[in-house]
Amino acid sequence: MRDALAPDTLLSVRNLQTHFVSRSEVAKSVDGVTFDLKRGETVAVVGESGSGKSVTSLSIMGLLAHPGRIVGGEILYRNRQGTVRDLAQASAKEMKRLRGTEIAMIFQEPMTSLNPLFTVGDQIAEMITLHEKISYRAALDRAAEMLELVEIPAARRRVNDYPHHMSGGMRQRVMIALALANKPSLLIADEPTTALDVTIQAQILDLLRRLQSEMGMSILFITHNLGVVAEIAREVVVMYAGRVVEQAPVVDLFARPKHPYTEGLLACTPNAARDVDPNGVRLPLRPIPGSVPPITALPPGCTYAPRCTYAVPGCTGAVPPLFSVGASHLSRCFRHELL
Amino acid sequence: MSTLAHTSSEAPLLSVKNLETYFPLSHGTVRAVDGVSFEVRRGTIVGLVGESGSGKTTLGRSILRLVEPTGGEARFEDKDLLTLSPREMRAYRRRLQIIFQDPYSSLNPRMRVGAILAEALDTHGLAKGSARAPRIAELLTRVGLSPEHAKRFPHEFSGGQRQRIGIARALAVEPELIVADEPVSALDVSVQAQILNLMQELQKEFGLTMLFVAHDLSVVEYLCDEVVVMYLGRIMERGPSAQVYSRPRHPYTKALLATAPIPDPTVKRERIILKGDIPSPLDPPSGCVFRTRCPYAAPICAENRPPDEAVGLDHFVACVRKDELATSGEL
């Protein structure tokens, strides 16, 4: 299987299963997730709370908290030497070496991801010296360069700032500087703009796009925001209750959603231009009924069936497979032809 | 004042004038709300939008005196709420309610839902004795829950259901004005739409007036009749939603609308990326507070605070260069 990794593919997640097992129950947080990420491209994983999108990213990073465990599947990654490694089987030592050099991650909350007791320069310099033989002074210099790269004004001076001196947007820039300090091949961005205001979000998305084109890294972008997906991704993976329900190139997904959940998500996002009748009267939104089921008590068959307007009794039998519904377009719906 | 000629004639339910809420600190004063004026007509939904630090939440709370304003007035019908004694204010609290952002922390986890609603009724001496249980059942049914839910605790509900409980609590006392403080921000997208529909239905059914505080521009555009755009404690622009969204007349509104991501990958827009962050409210810029991030700022912008000036019916903009920018086609 490992040889099957196409030359332009950096990461291939195959049938990933990550479970959280407690004495009384099993949470199948990630249940058979498969997707590829090509070099220099951006794939967005989109889903609501409990969809398993963050657990997927933590599984790739090897950062699962107890009792989370990868119980099946492969995470094939092509390292700098060109060797394909299965990160699901990699030792803690190997993962530690990869994190920070080749694979980096930025999180939603930049305040809790930075150490409040050290200056931002110290934190970036530490990151560099951990993975490279270089003097601390030289590392601090590089830290200042990194802050310049992420467009922090007066970067030479700001290296001496503590995180609390900075605004949320600035802190997220520092996180990006920290993540990119060792020029990773893969950046995993888990809701990096969710805690930020829209004007700051636009700055950060712009910055990520620019840095990607300059440094050529691949980005796995985790988000719940379809607007952000439309702006940044090339390929989209839609997750619901631990499974991929739809996967497609971004334009296809928005123009021709082939899973009722994706269609529902797009339809329930308010859109003043669409949601009015010809007389200018507001039409009610079309919400998805019910709520996301708890991951420990999933309904049988298609987990979306209880909320689905297309559902028929057959939907609650077997778990639907991913059907090919177009060029690089997959849908986990028995009734995808109706959409 | 030119404002008279440009304002609809009907008397507003709520009229806020020069409202100020300052927080004194040891090293200065935070002007969270700095001289804000706007009106809310009966039966309408007015959206209050802005980024974090714009003062929108403080403004909503100041009107209800959950935060004490330091100046100005907030006239409800003919009474200035800010001059009322605590005892007088209590009578008004029945008519003014709030729905909070976080349905997890705004419900007492140790009280059953029935008791939470009963507490609201008790506070104002409503639906006593044998009328109590049917009233609670009615409220729960009205917000899409069932009467049996009265026996349960908040943790037994999902986020969307908890927000329904919060709405039922606000409705319990039959208010006239509801301040909804980011009521759908903490909810999943698929559930947001359910709550927005519910709020619209209730607004129509009970003729409610609503001040809807939000940062999500598309939600406000969809839901609100009018919109008030705040930045650093001041109002930059306000007017009918359709007008403000289709033709923003303040550079900040224009930038805000241009940066909000649209869920359509085929839309190519003019990108306006504002530089920098919102300045510290401890040390706001002189003149127009937006000028440090404004792509159209000129030296004159640093001089005086720009007045609210009418640019259309009920449409006001605080920008000294608005006419010039409109003529040159930049705005």
Side-chain angles (χ1 to χ4, degrees), chain A residues 15 31-34 238 240 242-247 258-262 301-305 315 318-325 329-336:
Chain A
N15 196 26
D31 190 10
V33 166
T34 298
V238 183
Y240 184 79
R243 295 188 190 134
V244 173
V245 292
E246 183 162 7
Q247 187 173 342
K258 289 288 184 188
H259 192 283
Y261 176 61
T262 317
C302 171
T303 49
Y304 184 64
C315 295
V319 174
L322 277 168
F323 295 95
S324 176
V325 295
H329 196 153
L330 302 170
S331 165
R332 194 184 290 282
C333 177
F334 290 119
R335 313 198 75 208
H336 60 85

Side-chain angles (χ1 to χ4, degrees), chain A residues 57-240:
Chain A
S57 69
L58 292 171
S59 302
I60 297 168
M61 286 295 278
L63 290 175
L64 285 170
H66 181 80
R69 218 160 57 83
I70 298 175
V71 298
E74 295 174 306
I75 303 170
L76 303 184
Y77 170 77
R78 191 190 304 277
N79 66 17
R80 292 251 164 92
Q81 289 74 41
T83 322
V84 175
R85 303 286 304 160
D86 181 0
L87 302 185
Q89 306 290 337
S91 66
K93 196 177 160 198
E94 182 179 0
M95 284 313 295
K96 196 170 175 183
R97 194 186 57 73
L98 284 174
R99 275 195 305 265
T101 50
E102 297 199 16
I103 307 177
M105 189 160 182
I106 52 178
F107 299 90
Q108 174 171 350
E109 196 15 86
M111 197 60 207
T112 51
S113 322
L114 290 169
N115 190 327
L117 297 178
F118 292 90
T119 65
V120 296
D122 276 338
Q123 296 185 55
I124 301 173
E126 182 195 15
M127 176 79 188
I128 296 169
T129 51
L130 266 179
H131 297 284
E132 235 179 285
K133 282 207 176 354
I134 173 174
S135 78
Y136 195 74
R137 181 162 293 275
L140 213 50
D141 248 17
R142 275 264 294 281
E145 279 168 30
M146 288 311 295
L147 292 184
E148 260 166 20
L149 184 71
V150 296
E151 296 161 14
I152 288 184
R156 297 275 154 194
R157 192 159 48 78
R158 303 299 297 257
V159 279
N160 300 316
D161 278 6
Y162 288 89
H164 71 265
H165 290 141
M166 298 182 146
S167 66
M170 283 297 152
R171 287 198 286 260
Q172 196 57 286
R173 286 171 192 271
V174 171
M175 283 306 300
I176 294 171
L178 201 54
L180 302 186
N182 293 308
K183 301 204 165 46
S185 318
L186 170 61
L187 176 68
I188 299 178
D190 189 352
E191 302 261 14
T193 60
T194 305
L196 305 175
D197 283 315
V198 282
T199 61
I200 308 298
Q201 170 170 278
Q203 294 172 359
I204 298 292
L205 292 179
D206 221 43
L207 176 69
L208 284 174
R209 264 190 298 257
R210 177 173 73 75
L211 293 175
Q212 180 176 36
S213 70
E214 283 171 20
M215 301 168 72
M217 69 209 168
S218 308
I219 299 181
L220 183 63
F221 201 100
I222 315 286
T223 183
H224 71 281
N225 186 326
L226 289 164
V228 170
V229 170
E231 295 230 339
I232 197 143
R234 188 148 174 162
E235 286 277 326
V236 189
V237 175
V238 183
M239 286 186 74
Y240 184 79

Side-chain angles (χ1 to χ4, degrees), chain A residues 47-50 167-170 195-203 205-206 209 224-228 230-231 250-252 254-255 261 265-266 268-273 275 282-292 307, chain B residues 45 50-53 56 158 161 187-197 200 203-204 215-219 221-225 252 255-256 258-266 269 271-278 293:
Chain A
E48 298 180 278
S49 47
S167 66
M170 283 297 152
L196 305 175
D197 283 315
V198 282
T199 61
I200 308 298
Q201 170 170 278
Q203 294 172 359
L205 292 179
D206 221 43
R209 264 190 298 257
H224 71 281
N225 186 326
L226 289 164
V228 170
E231 295 230 339
V250 68
V251 176
D252 247 25
F254 282 81
Y261 176 61
L265 274 185
L266 290 169
C268 74
T269 316
N271 178 335
D275 303 323
R282 270 198 300 266
L283 298 170
L285 295 169
R286 286 166 292 159
I288 299 175
S291 52
V292 180
R307 305 177 72 189
Chain B
I45 307 182
E51 299 178 274
S52 42
K56 58 188 189 297
S158 67
Q161 288 175 318
L187 305 176
D188 273 322
V189 192
S190 70
V191 178
Q192 266 189 22
Q194 298 171 9
I195 300 297
L196 290 174
N197 275 354
Q200 276 190 93
Q203 191 252 338
K204 285 203 194 90
H215 69 275
D216 188 326
L217 295 158
S218 55
V219 168
E221 181 183 18
Y222 167 74
L223 186 71
C224 300
D225 305 297
Y252 178 60
L256 205 56
T259 49
I262 297 176
D264 183 349
T266 58
R269 290 183 296 173
R271 299 190 62 84
I272 305 175
I273 301 223
L274 290 181
K275 296 233 178 291
D277 287 311
I278 194 163
R293 297 176 75 196

Side-chain angles (χ1 to χ4, degrees), chain B residues 70-87:
Chain B
T70 46
E73 54 182 74
R75 208 165 269 284
F76 183 73
E77 288 183 333
D78 51 355
K79 204 79 176 168
D80 181 4
L81 297 172
L82 308 190
T83 61
L84 299 179
S85 69
R87 175 182 284 272

